[in-house]
PDB file of all heavy atoms in Angstrom:
ATOM      1  N   VAL A   1    -118.848 113.158  50.789  1.00  0.00           N
ATOM      2  CA  VAL A   1    -117.954 112.209  50.937  1.00  0.00           C
ATOM      3  C   VAL A   1    -117.321 111.687  49.720  1.00  0.00           C
ATOM      4  O   VAL A   1    -117.913 111.987  48.580  1.00  0.00           O
ATOM      5  CB  VAL A   1    -118.514 110.909  51.727  1.00  0.00           C
ATOM      6  CG1 VAL A   1    -119.035 111.268  53.145  1.00  0.00           C
ATOM      7  CG2 VAL A   1    -119.615 110.316  50.969  1.00  0.00           C
ATOM      8  N   LYS A   2    -116.176 111.000  49.598  1.00  0.00           N
ATOM      9  CA  LYS A   2    -115.568 110.714  48.394  1.00  0.00           C
ATOM     10  C   LYS A   2    -116.365 109.756  47.506  1.00  0.00           C
ATOM     11  O   LYS A   2    -116.506 109.883  46.344  1.00  0.00           O
ATOM     12  CB  LYS A   2    -114.172 109.972  48.756  1.00  0.00           C
ATOM     13  CG  LYS A   2    -113.326 109.745  47.578  1.00  0.00           C
ATOM     14  CD  LYS A   2    -112.020 109.119  47.839  1.00  0.00           C
ATOM     15  CE  LYS A   2    -111.151 108.869  46.636  1.00  0.00           C
ATOM     16  NZ  LYS A   2    -109.826 108.402  47.038  1.00  0.00           N
ATOM     17  N   THR A   3    -116.992 108.737  48.181  1.00  0.00           N
ATOM     18  CA  THR A   3    -117.795 107.809  47.426  1.00  0.00           C
ATOM     19  C   THR A   3    -119.051 108.461  46.804  1.00  0.00           C
ATOM     20  O   THR A   3    -119.364 108.182  45.601  1.00  0.00           O
ATOM     21  CB  THR A   3    -118.399 106.683  48.362  1.00  0.00           C
ATOM     22  OG1 THR A   3    -119.012 107.250  49.501  1.00  0.00           O
ATOM     23  CG2 THR A   3    -117.150 105.772  48.866  1.00  0.00           C
ATOM     24  N   SER A   4    -119.722 109.374  47.421  1.00  0.00           N
ATOM     25  CA  SER A   4    -120.806 110.067  46.824  1.00  0.00           C
ATOM     26  C   SER A   4    -120.435 111.048  45.733  1.00  0.00           C
ATOM     27  O   SER A   4    -121.245 111.193  44.765  1.00  0.00           O
ATOM     28  CB  SER A   4    -121.634 110.828  47.871  1.00  0.00           C
ATOM     29  OG  SER A   4    -120.798 111.914  48.400  1.00  0.00           O
ATOM     30  N   LEU A   5    -119.214 111.558  45.833  1.00  0.00           N
ATOM     31  CA  LEU A   5    -118.648 112.514  44.795  1.00  0.00           C
ATOM     32  C   LEU A   5    -118.433 111.713  43.508  1.00  0.00           C
ATOM     33  O   LEU A   5    -118.864 112.117  42.461  1.00  0.00           O
ATOM     34  CB  LEU A   5    -117.454 113.118  45.327  1.00  0.00           C
ATOM     35  CG  LEU A   5    -116.803 114.145  44.411  1.00  0.00           C
ATOM     36  CD1 LEU A   5    -117.738 115.321  44.190  1.00  0.00           C
ATOM     37  CD2 LEU A   5    -115.467 114.635  44.926  1.00  0.00           C
ATOM     38  N   SER A   6    -117.757 110.524  43.626  1.00  0.00           N
ATOM     39  CA  SER A   6    -117.434 109.713  42.479  1.00  0.00           C
ATOM     40  C   SER A   6    -118.726 109.189  41.825  1.00  0.00           C
ATOM     41  O   SER A   6    -118.925 109.161  40.546  1.00  0.00           O
ATOM     42  CB  SER A   6    -116.541 108.606  42.823  1.00  0.00           C
ATOM     43  OG  SER A   6    -116.994 107.805  43.831  1.00  0.00           O
ATOM     44  N   LEU A   7    -119.669 108.742  42.657  1.00  0.00           N
ATOM     45  CA  LEU A   7    -120.944 108.185  42.182  1.00  0.00           C
ATOM     46  C   LEU A   7    -121.777 109.287  41.551  1.00  0.00           C
ATOM     47  O   LEU A   7    -122.423 108.983  40.448  1.00  0.00           O
ATOM     48  CB  LEU A   7    -121.762 107.474  43.281  1.00  0.00           C
ATOM     49  CG  LEU A   7    -123.088 106.876  42.971  1.00  0.00           C
ATOM     50  CD1 LEU A   7    -122.833 105.760  41.940  1.00  0.00           C
ATOM     51  CD2 LEU A   7    -123.756 106.406  44.211  1.00  0.00           C
ATOM     52  N   SER A   8    -121.864 110.435  42.107  1.00  0.00           N
ATOM     53  CA  SER A   8    -122.651 111.512  41.565  1.00  0.00           C
ATOM     54  C   SER A   8    -122.127 111.911  40.141  1.00  0.00           C
ATOM     55  O   SER A   8    -122.807 112.189  39.204  1.00  0.00           O
ATOM     56  CB  SER A   8    -122.694 112.728  42.476  1.00  0.00           C
ATOM     57  OG  SER A   8    -123.285 112.323  43.660  1.00  0.00           O
ATOM     58  N   TRP A   9    -120.728 111.937  40.051  1.00  0.00           N
ATOM     59  CA  TRP A   9    -120.147 112.397  38.762  1.00  0.00           C
ATOM     60  C   TRP A   9    -120.371 111.382  37.708  1.00  0.00           C
ATOM     61  O   TRP A   9    -120.709 111.696  36.506  1.00  0.00           O
ATOM     62  CB  TRP A   9    -118.640 112.521  38.958  1.00  0.00           C
ATOM     63  CG  TRP A   9    -117.855 112.797  37.779  1.00  0.00           C
ATOM     64  CD1 TRP A   9    -116.870 112.035  37.191  1.00  0.00           C
ATOM     65  CD2 TRP A   9    -117.987 113.964  36.810  1.00  0.00           C
ATOM     66  NE1 TRP A   9    -116.475 112.592  36.005  1.00  0.00           N
ATOM     67  CE2 TRP A   9    -117.052 113.839  35.824  1.00  0.00           C
ATOM     68  CE3 TRP A   9    -118.718 115.137  36.908  1.00  0.00           C
ATOM     69  CZ2 TRP A   9    -116.910 114.706  34.768  1.00  0.00           C
ATOM     70  CZ3 TRP A   9    -118.675 116.026  35.969  1.00  0.00           C
ATOM     71  CH2 TRP A   9    -117.690 115.808  34.850  1.00  0.00           C
ATOM     72  N   LEU A  10    -120.418 110.039  38.043  1.00  0.00           N
ATOM     73  CA  LEU A  10    -120.715 108.988  37.079  1.00  0.00           C
ATOM     74  C   LEU A  10    -122.108 109.110  36.637  1.00  0.00           C
ATOM     75  O   LEU A  10    -122.307 109.031  35.358  1.00  0.00           O
ATOM     76  CB  LEU A  10    -120.436 107.663  37.745  1.00  0.00           C
ATOM     77  CG  LEU A  10    -120.779 106.336  36.974  1.00  0.00           C
ATOM     78  CD1 LEU A  10    -119.890 106.264  35.668  1.00  0.00           C
ATOM     79  CD2 LEU A  10    -120.587 105.107  37.728  1.00  0.00           C
ATOM     80  N   ILE A  11    -123.021 109.245  37.496  1.00  0.00           N
ATOM     81  CA  ILE A  11    -124.478 109.354  37.180  1.00  0.00           C
ATOM     82  C   ILE A  11    -124.659 110.691  36.277  1.00  0.00           C
ATOM     83  O   ILE A  11    -125.473 110.578  35.361  1.00  0.00           O
ATOM     84  CB  ILE A  11    -125.321 109.411  38.455  1.00  0.00           C
ATOM     85  CG1 ILE A  11    -125.196 108.080  39.178  1.00  0.00           C
ATOM     86  CG2 ILE A  11    -126.785 109.682  38.083  1.00  0.00           C
ATOM     87  CD1 ILE A  11    -125.994 108.066  40.526  1.00  0.00           C
ATOM     88  N   PHE A  12    -124.027 111.715  36.648  1.00  0.00           N
ATOM     89  CA  PHE A  12    -124.196 112.928  35.850  1.00  0.00           C
ATOM     90  C   PHE A  12    -123.771 112.777  34.419  1.00  0.00           C
ATOM     91  O   PHE A  12    -124.460 113.055  33.490  1.00  0.00           O
ATOM     92  CB  PHE A  12    -123.452 114.073  36.580  1.00  0.00           C
ATOM     93  CG  PHE A  12    -123.431 115.359  35.783  1.00  0.00           C
ATOM     94  CD1 PHE A  12    -124.565 116.158  35.727  1.00  0.00           C
ATOM     95  CD2 PHE A  12    -122.325 115.738  35.024  1.00  0.00           C
ATOM     96  CE1 PHE A  12    -124.650 117.380  35.062  1.00  0.00           C
ATOM     97  CE2 PHE A  12    -122.323 116.926  34.321  1.00  0.00           C
ATOM     98  CZ  PHE A  12    -123.460 117.722  34.302  1.00  0.00           C
ATOM     99  N   THR A  13    -122.550 112.161  34.280  1.00  0.00           N
ATOM    100  CA  THR A  13    -121.997 111.982  32.958  1.00  0.00           C
ATOM    101  C   THR A  13    -122.821 111.000  32.148  1.00  0.00           C
ATOM    102  O   THR A  13    -123.041 111.171  30.923  1.00  0.00           O
ATOM    103  CB  THR A  13    -120.599 111.642  33.005  1.00  0.00           C
ATOM    104  OG1 THR A  13    -120.422 110.313  33.807  1.00  0.00           O
ATOM    105  CG2 THR A  13    -119.633 112.636  33.532  1.00  0.00           C
ATOM    106  N   ARG A  14    -123.343 110.015  32.739  1.00  0.00           N
ATOM    107  CA  ARG A  14    -124.165 108.927  32.104  1.00  0.00           C
ATOM    108  C   ARG A  14    -125.500 109.549  31.677  1.00  0.00           C
ATOM    109  O   ARG A  14    -125.829 109.354  30.496  1.00  0.00           O
ATOM    110  CB  ARG A  14    -124.385 107.714  33.020  1.00  0.00           C
ATOM    111  CG  ARG A  14    -125.312 106.682  32.431  1.00  0.00           C
ATOM    112  CD  ARG A  14    -125.331 105.430  33.204  1.00  0.00           C
ATOM    113  NE  ARG A  14    -124.177 104.705  33.048  1.00  0.00           N
ATOM    114  CZ  ARG A  14    -123.575 103.701  33.810  1.00  0.00           C
ATOM    115  NH1 ARG A  14    -124.298 103.556  34.996  1.00  0.00           N
ATOM    116  NH2 ARG A  14    -122.573 103.158  33.534  1.00  0.00           N
ATOM    117  N   CYS A  15    -126.037 110.308  32.509  1.00  0.00           N
ATOM    118  CA  CYS A  15    -127.312 111.015  32.112  1.00  0.00           C
ATOM    119  C   CYS A  15    -127.143 111.984  31.068  1.00  0.00           C
ATOM    120  O   CYS A  15    -127.893 112.124  30.077  1.00  0.00           O
ATOM    121  CB  CYS A  15    -127.886 111.803  33.380  1.00  0.00           C
ATOM    122  SG  CYS A  15    -128.633 110.627  34.636  1.00  0.00           S
ATOM    123  N   LEU A  16    -126.019 112.680  31.043  1.00  0.00           N
ATOM    124  CA  LEU A  16    -125.747 113.662  30.008  1.00  0.00           C
ATOM    125  C   LEU A  16    -125.543 112.993  28.656  1.00  0.00           C
ATOM    126  O   LEU A  16    -126.044 113.458  27.656  1.00  0.00           O
ATOM    127  CB  LEU A  16    -124.421 114.438  30.322  1.00  0.00           C
ATOM    128  CG  LEU A  16    -124.075 115.680  29.502  1.00  0.00           C
ATOM    129  CD1 LEU A  16    -125.203 116.694  29.622  1.00  0.00           C
ATOM    130  CD2 LEU A  16    -122.765 116.188  29.912  1.00  0.00           C
ATOM    131  N   ALA A  17    -124.863 111.765  28.703  1.00  0.00           N
ATOM    132  CA  ALA A  17    -124.626 111.033  27.479  1.00  0.00           C
ATOM    133  C   ALA A  17    -125.973 110.517  26.847  1.00  0.00           C
ATOM    134  O   ALA A  17    -126.276 110.620  25.693  1.00  0.00           O
ATOM    135  CB  ALA A  17    -123.663 109.910  27.680  1.00  0.00           C
ATOM    136  N   THR A  18    -126.864 109.964  27.707  1.00  0.00           N
ATOM    137  CA  THR A  18    -128.050 109.425  27.385  1.00  0.00           C
ATOM    138  C   THR A  18    -129.062 110.487  26.854  1.00  0.00           C
ATOM    139  O   THR A  18    -129.864 110.270  25.882  1.00  0.00           O
ATOM    140  CB  THR A  18    -128.742 108.600  28.459  1.00  0.00           C
ATOM    141  OG1 THR A  18    -128.841 109.316  29.558  1.00  0.00           O
ATOM    142  CG2 THR A  18    -127.918 107.283  28.727  1.00  0.00           C
ATOM    143  N   LEU A  19    -128.991 111.632  27.531  1.00  0.00           N
ATOM    144  CA  LEU A  19    -129.866 112.834  27.013  1.00  0.00           C
ATOM    145  C   LEU A  19    -129.391 113.227  25.675  1.00  0.00           C
ATOM    146  O   LEU A  19    -130.204 113.574  24.861  1.00  0.00           O
ATOM    147  CB  LEU A  19    -129.677 113.922  28.061  1.00  0.00           C
ATOM    148  CG  LEU A  19    -130.679 115.067  27.935  1.00  0.00           C
ATOM    149  CD1 LEU A  19    -132.176 114.629  27.900  1.00  0.00           C
ATOM    150  CD2 LEU A  19    -130.370 116.130  28.976  1.00  0.00           C
ATOM    151  N   SER A  20    -128.117 113.285  25.445  1.00  0.00           N
ATOM    152  CA  SER A  20    -127.575 113.737  24.184  1.00  0.00           C
ATOM    153  C   SER A  20    -127.971 112.730  23.089  1.00  0.00           C
ATOM    154  O   SER A  20    -128.295 113.131  21.916  1.00  0.00           O
ATOM    155  CB  SER A  20    -126.009 113.885  24.203  1.00  0.00           C
ATOM    156  OG  SER A  20    -125.678 114.747  25.198  1.00  0.00           O
ATOM    157  N   ILE A  21    -127.938 111.476  23.379  1.00  0.00           N
ATOM    158  CA  ILE A  21    -128.356 110.466  22.391  1.00  0.00           C
ATOM    159  C   ILE A  21    -129.848 110.598  22.140  1.00  0.00           C
ATOM    160  O   ILE A  21    -130.307 110.469  20.968  1.00  0.00           O
ATOM    161  CB  ILE A  21    -128.072 109.052  22.917  1.00  0.00           C
ATOM    162  CG1 ILE A  21    -126.453 108.821  23.031  1.00  0.00           C
ATOM    163  CG2 ILE A  21    -128.633 107.928  22.029  1.00  0.00           C
ATOM    164  CD1 ILE A  21    -126.176 107.690  23.910  1.00  0.00           C
ATOM    165  N   ALA A  22    -130.670 110.905  23.180  1.00  0.00           N
ATOM    166  CA  ALA A  22    -132.088 111.086  22.929  1.00  0.00           C
ATOM    167  C   ALA A  22    -132.414 112.155  22.068  1.00  0.00           C
ATOM    168  O   ALA A  22    -133.227 112.131  21.186  1.00  0.00           O
ATOM    169  CB  ALA A  22    -132.808 111.208  24.334  1.00  0.00           C
ATOM    170  N   TYR A  23    -131.635 113.314  22.238  1.00  0.00           N
ATOM    171  CA  TYR A  23    -131.878 114.491  21.298  1.00  0.00           C
ATOM    172  C   TYR A  23    -131.311 114.297  19.920  1.00  0.00           C
ATOM    173  O   TYR A  23    -131.900 114.732  18.966  1.00  0.00           O
ATOM    174  CB  TYR A  23    -131.208 115.670  21.891  1.00  0.00           C
ATOM    175  CG  TYR A  23    -131.962 116.333  23.018  1.00  0.00           C
ATOM    176  CD1 TYR A  23    -131.473 116.794  24.223  1.00  0.00           C
ATOM    177  CD2 TYR A  23    -133.395 116.479  22.978  1.00  0.00           C
ATOM    178  CE1 TYR A  23    -132.128 117.358  25.277  1.00  0.00           C
ATOM    179  CE2 TYR A  23    -134.102 117.105  23.921  1.00  0.00           C
ATOM    180  CZ  TYR A  23    -133.508 117.447  25.112  1.00  0.00           C
ATOM    181  OH  TYR A  23    -134.223 118.085  26.104  1.00  0.00           O
ATOM    182  N   PHE A  24    -130.205 113.442  19.743  1.00  0.00           N
ATOM    183  CA  PHE A  24    -129.776 113.038  18.491  1.00  0.00           C
ATOM    184  C   PHE A  24    -130.873 112.295  17.717  1.00  0.00           C
ATOM    185  O   PHE A  24    -131.127 112.669  16.518  1.00  0.00           O
ATOM    186  CB  PHE A  24    -128.569 112.253  18.576  1.00  0.00           C
ATOM    187  CG  PHE A  24    -128.099 111.563  17.270  1.00  0.00           C
ATOM    188  CD1 PHE A  24    -127.490 112.208  16.367  1.00  0.00           C
ATOM    189  CD2 PHE A  24    -128.589 110.264  17.121  1.00  0.00           C
ATOM    190  CE1 PHE A  24    -127.126 111.615  15.187  1.00  0.00           C
ATOM    191  CE2 PHE A  24    -128.244 109.563  15.858  1.00  0.00           C
ATOM    192  CZ  PHE A  24    -127.485 110.368  14.887  1.00  0.00           C
ATOM    193  N   THR A  25    -131.490 111.440  18.467  1.00  0.00           N
ATOM    194  CA  THR A  25    -132.571 110.703  17.858  1.00  0.00           C
ATOM    195  C   THR A  25    -133.809 111.482  17.557  1.00  0.00           C
ATOM    196  O   THR A  25    -134.397 111.373  16.455  1.00  0.00           O
ATOM    197  CB  THR A  25    -133.067 109.493  18.848  1.00  0.00           C
ATOM    198  OG1 THR A  25    -131.914 108.697  19.179  1.00  0.00           O
ATOM    199  CG2 THR A  25    -134.168 108.587  18.221  1.00  0.00           C
ATOM    200  N   ALA A  26    -134.201 112.338  18.459  1.00  0.00           N
ATOM    201  CA  ALA A  26    -135.407 113.167  18.290  1.00  0.00           C
ATOM    202  C   ALA A  26    -135.177 114.227  17.190  1.00  0.00           C
ATOM    203  O   ALA A  26    -136.172 114.569  16.400  1.00  0.00           O
ATOM    204  CB  ALA A  26    -135.805 113.873  19.592  1.00  0.00           C
ATOM    205  N   LEU A  27    -133.971 114.740  16.993  1.00  0.00           N
ATOM    206  CA  LEU A  27    -133.748 115.878  16.124  1.00  0.00           C
ATOM    207  C   LEU A  27    -133.285 115.444  14.786  1.00  0.00           C
ATOM    208  O   LEU A  27    -133.259 116.210  13.797  1.00  0.00           O
ATOM    209  CB  LEU A  27    -132.682 116.776  16.623  1.00  0.00           C
ATOM    210  CG  LEU A  27    -133.023 117.572  17.936  1.00  0.00           C
ATOM    211  CD1 LEU A  27    -131.784 118.210  18.562  1.00  0.00           C
ATOM    212  CD2 LEU A  27    -134.022 118.629  17.630  1.00  0.00           C
ATOM    213  N   THR A  28    -132.851 114.206  14.536  1.00  0.00           N
ATOM    214  CA  THR A  28    -132.401 113.745  13.195  1.00  0.00           C
ATOM    215  C   THR A  28    -133.281 112.593  12.574  1.00  0.00           C
ATOM    216  O   THR A  28    -133.151 112.310  11.403  1.00  0.00           O
ATOM    217  CB  THR A  28    -130.911 113.172  13.329  1.00  0.00           C
ATOM    218  OG1 THR A  28    -130.959 112.107  14.220  1.00  0.00           O
ATOM    219  CG2 THR A  28    -130.028 114.262  13.781  1.00  0.00           C
ATOM    220  N   ILE A  29    -134.115 111.955  13.433  1.00  0.00           N
ATOM    221  CA  ILE A  29    -134.982 110.898  12.973  1.00  0.00           C
ATOM    222  C   ILE A  29    -136.409 111.319  13.011  1.00  0.00           C
ATOM    223  O   ILE A  29    -137.037 111.203  14.092  1.00  0.00           O
ATOM    224  CB  ILE A  29    -134.683 109.594  13.666  1.00  0.00           C
ATOM    225  CG1 ILE A  29    -133.204 109.243  13.694  1.00  0.00           C
ATOM    226  CG2 ILE A  29    -135.575 108.408  12.972  1.00  0.00           C
ATOM    227  CD1 ILE A  29    -132.885 107.902  14.419  1.00  0.00           C
ATOM    228  N   PRO A  30    -137.092 111.776  11.924  1.00  0.00           N
ATOM    229  CA  PRO A  30    -138.533 112.092  12.022  1.00  0.00           C
ATOM    230  C   PRO A  30    -139.357 110.850  12.244  1.00  0.00           C
ATOM    231  O   PRO A  30    -139.008 109.671  12.115  1.00  0.00           O
ATOM    232  CB  PRO A  30    -138.792 112.730  10.637  1.00  0.00           C
ATOM    233  CG  PRO A  30    -137.683 112.157   9.761  1.00  0.00           C
ATOM    234  CD  PRO A  30    -136.483 112.002  10.603  1.00  0.00           C
ATOM    235  N   VAL A  31    -140.632 111.135  12.543  1.00  0.00           N
ATOM    236  CA  VAL A  31    -141.493 109.981  13.062  1.00  0.00           C
ATOM    237  C   VAL A  31    -141.714 108.977  11.844  1.00  0.00           C
ATOM    238  O   VAL A  31    -141.886 107.712  12.170  1.00  0.00           O
ATOM    239  CB  VAL A  31    -142.888 110.533  13.447  1.00  0.00           C
ATOM    240  CG1 VAL A  31    -143.694 111.204  12.378  1.00  0.00           C
ATOM    241  CG2 VAL A  31    -143.713 109.483  14.143  1.00  0.00           C
ATOM    242  N   ASN A  32    -141.809 109.363  10.596  1.00  0.00           N
ATOM    243  CA  ASN A  32    -142.045 108.516   9.494  1.00  0.00           C
ATOM    244  C   ASN A  32    -140.800 107.468   9.435  1.00  0.00           C
ATOM    245  O   ASN A  32    -140.953 106.283   9.067  1.00  0.00           O
ATOM    246  CB  ASN A  32    -142.244 109.102   8.193  1.00  0.00           C
ATOM    247  CG  ASN A  32    -141.120 110.092   7.823  1.00  0.00           C
ATOM    248  OD1 ASN A  32    -140.396 110.571   8.644  1.00  0.00           O
ATOM    249  ND2 ASN A  32    -140.860 110.222   6.404  1.00  0.00           N
ATOM    250  N   GLN A  33    -139.639 107.934   9.665  1.00  0.00           N
ATOM    251  CA  GLN A  33    -138.446 107.085   9.703  1.00  0.00           C
ATOM    252  C   GLN A  33    -138.389 106.261  10.978  1.00  0.00           C
ATOM    253  O   GLN A  33    -137.880 105.070  10.956  1.00  0.00           O
ATOM    254  CB  GLN A  33    -137.168 107.919   9.608  1.00  0.00           C
ATOM    255  CG  GLN A  33    -137.016 108.643   8.390  1.00  0.00           C
ATOM    256  CD  GLN A  33    -135.701 109.385   8.153  1.00  0.00           C
ATOM    257  OE1 GLN A  33    -134.793 109.331   9.145  1.00  0.00           O
ATOM    258  NE2 GLN A  33    -135.486 110.072   7.097  1.00  0.00           N
ATOM    259  N   MET A  34    -139.015 106.753  12.040  1.00  0.00           N
ATOM    260  CA  MET A  34    -139.092 105.956  13.323  1.00  0.00           C
ATOM    261  C   MET A  34    -139.950 104.714  13.018  1.00  0.00           C
ATOM    262  O   MET A  34    -139.697 103.686  13.528  1.00  0.00           O
ATOM    263  CB  MET A  34    -139.704 106.767  14.423  1.00  0.00           C
ATOM    264  CG  MET A  34    -138.833 107.824  14.988  1.00  0.00           C
ATOM    265  SD  MET A  34    -137.570 107.077  16.066  1.00  0.00           S
ATOM    266  CE  MET A  34    -136.965 108.606  16.921  1.00  0.00           C
ATOM    267  N   VAL A  35    -141.031 104.910  12.238  1.00  0.00           N
ATOM    268  CA  VAL A  35    -141.999 103.806  11.928  1.00  0.00           C
ATOM    269  C   VAL A  35    -141.195 102.746  11.142  1.00  0.00           C
ATOM    270  O   VAL A  35    -141.351 101.511  11.399  1.00  0.00           O
ATOM    271  CB  VAL A  35    -143.177 104.361  11.093  1.00  0.00           C
ATOM    272  CG1 VAL A  35    -143.927 103.144  10.554  1.00  0.00           C
ATOM    273  CG2 VAL A  35    -144.008 105.171  12.029  1.00  0.00           C
ATOM    274  N   VAL A  36    -140.303 103.232  10.225  1.00  0.00           N
ATOM    275  CA  VAL A  36    -139.524 102.178   9.425  1.00  0.00           C
ATOM    276  C   VAL A  36    -138.616 101.388  10.354  1.00  0.00           C
ATOM    277  O   VAL A  36    -138.520 100.077  10.200  1.00  0.00           O
ATOM    278  CB  VAL A  36    -138.601 102.956   8.395  1.00  0.00           C
ATOM    279  CG1 VAL A  36    -137.683 102.017   7.674  1.00  0.00           C
ATOM    280  CG2 VAL A  36    -139.601 103.657   7.359  1.00  0.00           C
ATOM    281  N   ILE A  37    -138.021 102.130  11.303  1.00  0.00           N
ATOM    282  CA  ILE A  37    -137.108 101.313  12.201  1.00  0.00           C
ATOM    283  C   ILE A  37    -137.877 100.368  13.169  1.00  0.00           C
ATOM    284  O   ILE A  37    -137.461  99.255  13.289  1.00  0.00           O
ATOM    285  CB  ILE A  37    -136.344 102.360  13.190  1.00  0.00           C
ATOM    286  CG1 ILE A  37    -135.374 103.239  12.270  1.00  0.00           C
ATOM    287  CG2 ILE A  37    -135.581 101.702  14.245  1.00  0.00           C
ATOM    288  CD1 ILE A  37    -134.791 104.426  13.111  1.00  0.00           C
ATOM    289  N   MET A  38    -139.032 100.826  13.638  1.00  0.00           N
ATOM    290  CA  MET A  38    -139.865  99.934  14.542  1.00  0.00           C
ATOM    291  C   MET A  38    -140.406  98.701  13.727  1.00  0.00           C
ATOM    292  O   MET A  38    -140.462  97.599  14.254  1.00  0.00           O
ATOM    293  CB  MET A  38    -141.000 100.787  15.102  1.00  0.00           C
ATOM    294  CG  MET A  38    -140.588 101.712  16.163  1.00  0.00           C
ATOM    295  SD  MET A  38    -141.894 102.484  17.023  1.00  0.00           S
ATOM    296  CE  MET A  38    -142.474 103.716  15.716  1.00  0.00           C
ATOM    297  N   LYS A  39    -140.622  98.854  12.406  1.00  0.00           N
ATOM    298  CA  LYS A  39    -141.167  97.806  11.587  1.00  0.00           C
ATOM    299  C   LYS A  39    -139.917  96.831  11.365  1.00  0.00           C
ATOM    300  O   LYS A  39    -140.152  95.595  11.351  1.00  0.00           O
ATOM    301  CB  LYS A  39    -141.687  98.285  10.362  1.00  0.00           C
ATOM    302  CG  LYS A  39    -143.064  98.877  10.435  1.00  0.00           C
ATOM    303  CD  LYS A  39    -143.528  99.295   8.973  1.00  0.00           C
ATOM    304  CE  LYS A  39    -144.978  99.770   9.158  1.00  0.00           C
ATOM    305  NZ  LYS A  39    -145.569 100.208   7.818  1.00  0.00           N
TER     306      LYS A  39
END
């Protein structure tokens, strides 16, 4: 249906964006720098 199509596309793009951000964080910020941020 039209509503499920638009909602699924929104959820898909949002998940893709958040996943990309998560990989950006994991691949560019090592754990010692993570500790600095958390402090």
Side-chain angles (χ1 to χ4, degrees):
V1 297
K2 186 176 180 180
T3 53
S4 66
L5 184 63
S6 58
L7 179 61
S8 299
W9 175 244
L10 176 63
I11 293 173
F12 175 78
T13 55
R14 174 169 285 159
C15 289
L16 192 63
T18 52
L19 187 60
S20 300
I21 295 167
Y23 280 138
F24 167 82
T25 304
L27 291 169
T28 62
I29 308 179
V31 67
N32 59 330
Q33 294 183 1
M34 288 283 192
V35 172
V36 174
I37 294 172
M38 288 187 285
K39 285 184 176 180

